[in-house]
Every structure is written in C-alpha cells, then in structure tokens.
Amino acid sequence: MEREGSTPDHVPGHWDVVIVGTGHGGAQAAIALRQQGHDGSILMIGRDSVPPYERPPLSKEYLAGEKPFERIMIRPEKFWADKDISLMLGSAVTEIDWMAHTVMLSDGSAIGYRKLIWSGGGDPRRLSSTGANQKGVYYVRDKRDADAIRAALDAGAKRAVVIGGGYIGLEAAAVLRKLGCEVTLIEALPRVLARVAGEELSRFYEEEHRRQGVDVRLETGVEEILGEDGKVTGVELDSGETIECDMVVVGIGIVPAVGPLIAAGAAGSNGVDVDFICRTTLDDIYAIGDCAAHANPFADNAVIRLESVQNAHDMANTVAKAIMGDKQPYHALPWFWSNQYDLKLQTAGLSLDYDDTVLRGDPADRKFTVVYLKEGKPIAFDCVGTMKDYVQGRKMLEAGVERVDRELLADPEVPLKELL
Ligand code: FAD
C-alpha cells in the first residue's frame, strides 16, 4: 500500500528517508522529522499489519481488556497521511545494499533511500524446551500475541504458567490473576527482576504476587512443555514436578532484530553498534531503540542496549535532528515504568554496578523508594507509588549530584529536592 509522496524529491521506488520498524522508535523518528521541518518523502516499513501502536499496554491495559486498540495507537490513523508519511505495513526488510542505498523486501522488491533509520526492536527469545512449539504457548511482543492470549482466555483457559520473572512476565501474571486465572510464575534465578533491580524491589514484588495468589517458583527451570494432540497440558519443572495448565506465557527477553543490518556488514554483537548520534558503521544508516547498542552517559559510558519507550523515543529525536544537520549527542536520562495490580513503579537512571542501596519508606506500606548508589553517588531510583521522589530523583540524577547524606536520604520525610 505504498502511497506516492507528494514532495518534489520523490521518485517512484526511492524515498528520502526510509524507516524500518513501525514501533515506538520508528513512529517517533517520522514524527520528529516532520517536527524538525523535514519536507522530503518518508516511508515507514513494518512487519506489523496495523498502524503504529504502543507496546507497554500489551502486558497491561490492552491485555486486561481495559483499553481498546484505538486507544493504544501512537497517533490516529489519519495522522500519518496528514503528515505525508507513507506506511508500508505487513512487509519485512530482508536485505540491505548500503552501497546502492536500497533495501530489499520479502516480496523481492527493492526500495531506494537517501537515509535509512533502522528501528527493528527485537523478537521474543524463544523457549528452547521440548514441546515449546505447541499450541497454547504464547509470547508478548506484538498485538497479535496479546490478541492470541485474549482469545485463549475467552475460549476458557483458566490455568496459566508464566515463564520469566522480568517486567513482562510479572505484568502478564498480574493481569491473568486479575482475570481470574490460576497462575504459577517460574523464574530461573534466585529472585524476580534480578537483571534490572536490587533485592528490595525483587522481594517486594515476589511478596505482592504471592499475596495476590500467584504461585511464585524461584530458582526453577523448565524441563519440558507437556501436551496432548499438539496442545499444551502442563509444564514439567526441573525438579520433576508437573504443573498442569491450559496456557504458557513466556517472557524471557528479546533477541535484537538486526539480521539484515549485520548481514550487510554493520558492526554489532549485542544488537547493532551506534555512535553518539545513533549512526551505525554503514554510511547513511542509523539505528535506534531496543536494537541499538550505544555508550550511555548515565552508565559511565558503558555500551548497552536499553529496552524502553524513553530510549526509543529520545534516540529517534536525536536521529531526526542529525538528519536535519543538528548533531547533538544522545544524552537522555533513562526512565521506565511498570504497572502491576494497583502498584505503579517508576524508575529513573540505571542501577548497573550499584554498590549500595538506601530504602526510603517502608515496603509494607506499598509506598517506598529504593535509591541506588555507586561510590556514594545516586545513580538510580525505583519509586513505588512515590511520584514526588521520582520527579525529584530525576532532577538529582540530571544535576549529577555526587554525594548525599545517607541518613537524610533514608528519611522519607525529607524531600529529595532538599538534598540537591
Ligand atoms: P518496537 O517498538 O518493538 O518496534 C520494532 C518494529 O520493527 C516492530 O513493529 C517489528 O515488527 C518491526 N521490524 C523488525 N524487523 C523488521 C524488518 N526486518 N522489517 C520490517 N519491520 C521490522 N517500555 C517501557 O518504557 N515501559 C513499559 O512499561 C514497557 N512495557 C512493555 C511491555 C511489553 C509487552 C513489551 C513488548 C515492551 C514493553 N516495553 C516497555 C518496551 C518498549 O515497548 C520497547 O522498548 C519499545 O517498543 C522499543 O521501540 P523500538 O522501536 O525499538 O521497537
């Protein structure tokens, strides 16, 4: 459904900017280009067959049936045509010829570009256990995944095993409980959220899920997905125990979707490497969002990938500016959120390599903040129901405050802004 651009530079089959991926990064790149005054032709190519939508609700309000699809669209459908941004949906880019400045599509056609922005995100990491390909095993990455889970629930699924205690697994578990399912959550590590949060937050969420009726199993592996006639009937754990279920929801991370870029010669081992303005090592090709490995100033310039709306959005803005000639280095405070039950978590900064934590408030009140310190310097905040701490903590991180009085920091009665 290619629509001819109306801009003077547009020739059929050739676009000024081609964006691969219609998720958070891709959509924002197109929006930001127009905001920056770009008047050349823009084409977005995406595997999703529906216009750009938000992913976070897929494990929250959309999965719970509380928000219809129209309310999770990044912009109303009409917006894209109004801004003269063309969408080619349901199409995958399979190859890139960076010297010829063309991308090849799954149907064999070729499309030319002046600048290419790759915002391919990631594919869910697949479960490798025997039986994992059966009907009733679900992932949560795109709208189709969430719709398939909803359909299974509507068809009467009542017992779920969630594999993976990261944010997506925990959020899915919370929604399934809310919808009345029996839920068992399996995590291989000794605590949930082990890769992204400290002990205090992990223990709090484990307890909360247990209080809500989730059977949380830590340090537990999956031996096999059991089934009958190709349909899931249970999960055999590495202890030999079997948990009977009607569905398995897997949330064990993503694999960056960068195959064509790497095959074309772009550098990268964990995703694709980008520089301070999100350029890959291939001429005129940028990469943003979940798949972009970059040196992050809020992690002492460690090369990392961030999987968050903030990162996709702010990298998109960096690239749009760079294409318009304003080469400002990517420098944005990382932030994230997670909703589970009635709890709202907001995080600011990156807790990588923290060597100390300070707890503000009491988790028993379901309202508290964990401050992460590195050599005495605050580097991240996890705020559960403490909006003020989140706002003021962000300011502290942005200001780069080197040292704070630990005792004052631990006192929830002392506003963080007084420690700035
Ligand atoms: P995506 O939004 O994933 O978009 C990538 C797009 O590229 C996809 O549409 C994909 O189909 C397409 N694509 C890939 N390869 C090709 C190809 N070869 N050709 C064409 N198209 C291609 N973040 C938060 O900050 N807070 C949250 O609460 C939160 N919750 C989440 C809940 C869920 C269930 C999920 C899945 C993610 C959540 N995230 C959350 C993460 C956030 O959604 C991602 O970080 C963000 O979407 C990244 O944007 P992106 O553009 O890099 O990738």
Side-chain angles (χ1 to χ4, degrees):
M1 53 181 280
E2 179 176 335
R3 193 174 52 81
E4 294 295 326
S6 58
T7 44
D9 65 333
H10 189 71
V11 288
H14 189 279
W15 301 77
D16 190 54
V17 178
V18 168
I19 300 170
V20 181
T22 55
H24 280 276
Q28 180 56 26
I31 294 168
L33 277 166
R34 289 294 185 241
Q35 281 169 345
Q36 297 289 320
H38 180 269
D39 61 2
S41 55
I42 300 177
L43 172 67
M44 295 174 68
I45 305 171
R47 289 187 310 207
D48 267 309
S49 56
V50 286
Y53 58 92
E54 297 167 12
R55 263 160 230 277
L58 298 181
S59 53
K60 307 180 182 73
E61 308 92 321
Y62 184 76
L63 186 63
E66 293 163 0
K67 260 191 187 174
F69 182 66
E70 294 66 44
R71 283 189 53 212
I72 69 166
M73 286 169 85
I74 288 179
R75 290 287 187 280
E77 194 163 2
K78 187 175 158 301
F79 170 90
W80 307 104
D82 288 350
K83 296 288 176 195
D84 204 7
I85 296 164
S86 296
L87 298 179
M88 188 180 277
L89 300 173
S91 283
V93 167
T94 53
E95 260 180 77
I96 301 170
D97 183 341
W98 65 271
M99 281 200 268
H101 281 54
T102 52
V103 293
M104 264 63 78
L105 304 182
S106 36
D107 67 3
S109 57
I111 287 176
Y113 62 83
R114 182 177 68 89
K115 301 280 181 192
L116 179 69
I117 304 175
W118 188 275
S119 188
D123 295 309
R125 189 179 298 285
R126 301 273 151 184
L127 199 62
S128 57
S129 325
T130 309
N133 290 330
Q134 298 180 86
K135 204 163 170 264
V137 177
Y138 302 101
Y139 296 83
V140 201
R141 183 72 196 177
D142 61 26
K143 177 179 179 290
R144 274 173 318 175
D145 296 329
D147 289 345
I149 298 174
R150 292 282 323 171
L153 293 169
D154 289 346
K158 280 265 168 282
R159 299 164 305 168
V161 171
V162 175
I163 301 178
Y167 282 120
I168 289 179
L170 291 178
E171 289 180 351
V175 169
L176 292 168
R177 272 307 290 146
K178 249 178 23 189
L179 295 176
C181 285
E182 260 176 49
V183 182
T184 305
L185 184 123
I186 295 170
E187 167 56 53
L189 296 174
R191 59 187 176 89
V192 301
L193 301 177
R195 290 194 185 88
V196 288
E199 180 103 22
E200 293 92 339
L201 202 78
S202 300
R203 299 301 175 213
F204 171 75
Y205 276 106
E206 278 159 30
E207 218 166 279
E208 177 65 16
H209 279 273
R210 287 196 170 114
R211 212 170 61 81
Q212 299 279 358
V214 177
D215 182 0
V216 179
R217 308 288 187 98
L218 304 173
E219 291 183 86
T220 301
V222 171
E223 195 60 39
E224 189 177 338
I225 306 296
L226 307 169
E228 232 176 75
D229 303 328
K231 164 92 184 71
V232 164
T233 56
V235 175
E236 185 185 329
L237 306 180
D238 54 6
S239 61
E241 184 187 353
T242 294
I243 298 176
E244 289 179 7
C245 65
D246 314 309
M247 67 157 77
V248 173
V249 178
V250 186
I252 53 173
I254 62 163
V255 179
V258 290
L261 265 182
I262 301 297
S269 50
N270 172 22
V272 61
D273 296 343
V274 298
D275 70 2
F276 68 106
I277 51 167
C278 300
R279 280 181 302 209
T280 68
T281 51
L282 301 178
D283 284 352
D284 295 322
I285 304 183
Y286 298 81
I288 59 177
D290 286 10
C291 67
H294 64 284
N296 193 296
F298 290 91
D300 281 342
N301 285 321
V303 174
I304 55 171
R305 284 188 308 101
L306 285 178
E307 294 169 13
S308 70
V309 170
Q310 168 278 316
N311 178 62
H313 199 272
D314 289 331
M315 280 189 160
N317 291 342
T318 296
V319 167
K321 283 189 185 140
I323 288 177
M324 296 304 286
D326 181 9
K327 295 183 178 159
Q328 288 180 30
Y330 177 60
H331 186 101
L333 178 71
W335 56 265
F336 188 84
W337 77 96
S338 174
N339 301 342
Q340 294 165 50
Y341 308 107
D342 60 335
L343 294 167
K344 285 198 187 319
L345 166 73
Q346 292 168 292
T347 80
L350 296 171
S351 58
L352 301 173
D353 297 336
Y354 67 93
D355 53 27
D356 190 12
T357 57
V358 171
L359 192 58
R360 281 169 66 79
D362 185 354
D365 298 335
R366 304 174 90 241
K367 220 175 153 198
F368 65 100
T369 299
V370 184
V371 187
Y372 296 84
L373 303 168
K374 186 176 177 186
E375 292 161 16
K377 178 180 172 162
I379 55 167
F381 291 80
D382 283 345
C383 307
V384 177
T386 48
M387 179 70 172
K388 270 194 190 143
D389 278 2
Y390 171 70
V391 172
Q392 295 172 16
R394 283 183 62 123
K395 293 213 168 94
M396 194 177 264
L397 298 174
E398 271 159 357
V401 171
E402 284 295 333
R403 237 162 223 292
V404 280
D405 184 316
R406 222 175 165 286
E407 231 169 87
L408 292 176
L409 194 59
D411 184 350
E413 299 303 319
V414 178
L416 290 175
K417 65 180 177 196
E418 285 181 15
L419 307 178
L420 271 172

